[in-house]
Amino acid sequence: MKVAKFGGSSVADADQFRKVKAIVGANADRKAVVVSAAGKSASEPIKVTDLLIQIEQLRDRGQDFLPVFNHIADRFIGIRDALDLNVAIEDDLRLIKSQIVDASHDYLVSRGEFLTAKLMADFLGFQFVDANQFMIFSHHHFDYAAAKQHLLSILTPGSRIVVPGFYGVDEHGKTHLMPRGGSDISGSILANLLDADLYENWTDVSGIKMADPRIIDQSRKINELTYEELQELSYMGISVFQEEAVQPVREKRIPIAILNTNHPEEDGTLVVSHVRESAANLVTGIAGKKDYVIITINKYQLSKRLDILSQVFSVIQRFDVAFDYLPSGTDAFSFIARRGDVKDQVGAIMDALRNECDLDSVELAKDISLVAVVSDELGKRPAVAGKILDMLDNSQIKIQLVIQQSSDIKLVFGVANQDYEKTIEKIYRNVNVTEKKLRMAI
Ligand SMILES: Nc1ncnc2c1ncn2[C@@H]1O[C@H](COP(=O)(O)OP(=O)(O)O)[C@@H](O)[C@H]1O
Ligand SMILES: N[C@@H](CC(=O)OP(=O)(O)O)C(=O)O
């Protein structure tokens, strides 16, 4: 059997619902469907999830949230009426409206998936199974054993189900929201629980492109890639698949197919444990994110000074800042974090490091982008990394740092924010032009 997850863009309006029905109806193996909340469409510039977040913000500021709520309600009633469904969605909307004043963040923001799944279940003629009946989290970890037991008690032989993505329930019976993009995780967990043969992830692009299609027009599609490569690309910013959604299917070696709801006839991307020789490229994908800050700590023979390292870490711990990378050398190490995670604490962190730690110097670099080149080949053939560095060396882009972990499949460059798009473009064009030459040279 297959688990099919449809993203926000695939369920944004009645026309998209019809496409989903055609896809699901085309293969009887599609027995479990997971949906996100209605997303952006030509006439709807804001995802329902973001509208729900707006409601929460307005509520917390004591402002009127009803116009935003009414807009959401009209969207769902509009889809219901356009599809001629019998679901009494007004009852659900009335209940949600009455709960807004006291609702938790997780409960309120999860309602988009709940309402979308209710409509989709009716439209497909499938059983609606609420995620709070079996997506059980215990102390922030997913409880596979309990979840499977609950799910099996709900399913009847031959049942076909629709499940809302993005949330589950915690050990206290409260709604547990996953990170943004979390319906991908729900689908992956469901595929694991049901031992699916395939996890289909339906979105608005025909597979994963080698580089962000918003930067590289007509970017080449990745036909096959490994779970590990996908995880690295997702971590580094491709929004098409949530990073934490890889592990549940990887564990059971369930392949993932990334497919296009608007063009179901097109081949997508297949994610597997091992890529066929004929499908492998020297560089699988390029991804990145803007707006990092880098704090570099310098101290003579730092690698031998555990006392100093512990002073530094106690400062970092006090500010409770998540970091993405921690490259180190003999006399220095850098602490690389997203600007959003550091917020406005950078000045205070720098002061604390200078005042409380016995360092030679502390440096700060802001407005840095990280660009990652991901490929299984990097681990196998280190010369590929050298060739890519050569290419950038000739391109007038100032590389501020390079990170390659030993057995890694990823090479990360730090560049100024203003060089972000140019760096991706340079690597993309050069890799494509020289792929054949590189193959011969190595
Ligand atoms: N390398 C890439 N390949 C394909 N899509 C990408 C890539 N990087 C970023 N994207 C973006 O990811 C989007 C799909 O993800 P998302 O918006 O989460 O879809 P959905 O609404 O289906 O969940 C695409 O529209 C595309 O703009
Ligand atoms: N609706 C949630 C969860 C999700 O997975 O959405 P999407 O499939 O549209 O990325 C979000 O916007 O984060």
Side-chain angles (χ1 to χ4, degrees):
M1 61 86 69
K2 301 179 207 292
V3 169
K5 178 258 168 177
F6 292 88
S9 52
S10 304
V11 291
D13 57 26
D15 280 344
Q16 294 302 92
F17 267 60
R18 290 191 189 96
K19 291 179 191 169
V20 170
K21 188 170 186 170
I23 291 165
V24 174
N27 190 323
D29 281 350
R30 296 190 176 113
K31 292 188 195 305
V33 169
V34 173
V35 290
S36 293
K40 291 184 198 175
S41 70
S43 59
E44 292 289 348
I46 309 180
K47 289 172 153 200
V48 165
T49 303
D50 291 308
L51 291 173
L52 289 163
I53 293 170
Q54 273 182 25
I55 290 182
E56 185 187 28
Q57 290 166 345
L58 290 167
R59 177 198 69 182
D60 292 350
R61 283 190 238 123
Q63 292 171 337
D64 185 11
F65 52 74
L66 277 181
V68 185
F69 179 81
N70 291 338
H71 181 77
I72 295 178
D74 289 348
R75 259 187 99 166
F76 284 110
I77 291 169
I79 295 175
R80 193 265 319 266
D81 292 346
L83 299 175
D84 240 348
L85 306 177
N86 282 321
V87 195
I89 204 81
E90 286 89 348
D91 293 347
D92 295 302
L93 289 164
R94 208 171 300 118
L95 178 66
I96 294 168
K97 187 172 162 183
S98 71
Q99 293 166 323
I100 292 176
V101 200
D102 298 317
S104 69
H105 167 83
D106 286 16
Y107 177 77
L108 182 55
V109 176
S110 71
R111 294 303 83 191
E113 270 70 11
F114 171 81
L115 293 164
T116 307
K118 274 215 137 172
L119 292 180
M120 186 59 81
D122 194 70
F123 188 46
L124 298 179
F126 284 17
Q127 181 186 349
F128 170 77
V129 178
D130 198 345
N132 66 11
Q133 291 177 262
F134 74 96
M135 281 276 176
I136 301 167
F137 289 81
S138 184
H139 303 99
H140 299 283
H141 292 288
F142 192 72
D143 187 339
Y144 281 90
K148 187 150 192 165
Q149 199 189 359
H150 279 74
L151 181 60
L152 292 180
S153 73
I154 297 165
L155 296 181
T156 49
S159 59
R160 296 175 84 183
I161 59 173
V162 174
V163 178
F166 195 34
Y167 70 93
V169 62
D170 72 11
E171 68 277 15
H172 307 296
K174 301 251 183 286
T175 304
H176 170 94
L177 200 68
M178 299 179 204
R180 291 304 302 263
S183 299
D184 290 339
I185 309 172
S186 306
S188 180
I189 289 176
L190 191 60
N192 176 307
L193 295 174
L194 294 173
D195 289 302
D197 306 314
L198 183 66
Y199 173 33
E200 292 180 338
N201 198 281
W202 293 88
T203 180
D204 64 349
V205 271
S206 297
I208 301 175
K209 311 286 179 185
M210 194 173 151
D212 189 334
R214 290 164 294 191
I215 298 175
I216 307 284
D217 195 23
Q218 311 278 322
S219 170
R220 185 164 101 181
K221 176 168 75 74
I222 305 172
N223 293 324
E224 285 182 25
L225 77 166
T226 65
Y227 296 112
E228 207 181 350
E229 288 173 323
L230 175 60
Q231 198 152 350
E232 291 294 359
L233 286 169
S234 298
Y235 181 71
M236 282 309 297
I238 61 157
S239 49
V240 68
F241 199 77
Q242 222 286 347
E243 175 209 342
E244 292 175 37
V246 178
Q247 190 52 28
V249 280
R250 180 181 184 176
E251 204 177 281
K252 289 201 167 168
R253 292 174 179 258
I254 299 167
I256 308 165
I258 313 274
L259 299 159
N260 190 345
T261 301
N262 305 319
H263 295 283
E265 71 290 353
E266 290 182 6
D267 289 336
T269 294
L270 193 67
V271 189
V272 285
S273 302
H274 297 287
V275 168
R276 284 171 300 126
E277 189 78 23
S278 59
N281 290 317
L282 273 181
V283 165
T284 305
I286 306 158
K289 287 185 201 160
K290 282 187 172 175
D291 293 335
Y292 284 86
V293 294
I294 306 179
I295 298 175
T296 301
I297 282 118
N298 298 298
K299 176 76 183 175
Y300 177 62
Q301 297 219 312
L302 181 66
S303 55
K304 292 186 188 143
R305 297 294 305 272
L306 292 181
D307 55 332
I308 308 253
L309 283 172
S310 120
Q311 289 170 0
V312 169
F313 277 106
S314 77
V315 168
I316 287 166
Q317 189 180 19
R318 199 170 74 231
F319 285 91
D320 192 22
V321 174
F323 57 84
D324 283 35
Y325 292 98
L326 211 56
S328 61
T330 327
D331 298 331
F333 86 87
S334 296
F335 171 87
I336 305 181
R338 298 219 65 201
R339 194 172 62 196
D341 292 335
V342 188
K343 302 203 181 74
D344 44 12
Q345 306 191 93
V346 182
I349 297 173
M350 293 292 286
D351 286 345
L353 289 170
R354 285 192 183 113
N355 298 333
E356 298 171 31
C357 312
D358 180 17
L359 303 171
D360 293 342
S361 63
V362 187
E363 288 156 34
L364 173 68
K366 286 195 285 192
D367 301 325
I368 300 291
S369 294
L370 295 186
V371 174
V373 176
V374 172
S375 169
D376 240 3
E377 302 290 316
L378 286 173
K380 294 178 203 152
R381 297 193 258 180
V384 176
K387 295 278 171 193
I388 295 168
L389 276 169
D390 263 1
M391 283 175 206
L392 286 172
D393 202 32
N394 299 327
S395 69
Q396 313 292 316
I397 295 171
K398 185 164 180 267
I399 306 291
Q400 318 241 4
L401 96 160
V402 179
I403 311 168
Q404 188 180 22
Q405 286 135 359
S406 49
S407 66
D408 218 345
I409 60 165
K410 175 176 70 175
L411 187 63
V412 181
F413 304 98
V415 296
N417 271 349
Q418 74 251 29
D419 287 335
Y420 174 68
E421 286 84 4
K422 194 170 148 196
T423 306
I424 292 187
E425 195 154 338
K426 268 276 174 288
I427 301 175
Y428 178 81
R429 306 266 173 238
N430 277 305
V431 160
N432 277 318
V433 169
T434 58
E435 173 146 341
K436 280 204 183 97
K437 278 196 241 160
L438 276 170
R439 277 191 185 286
M440 285 185 282
I442 294 163

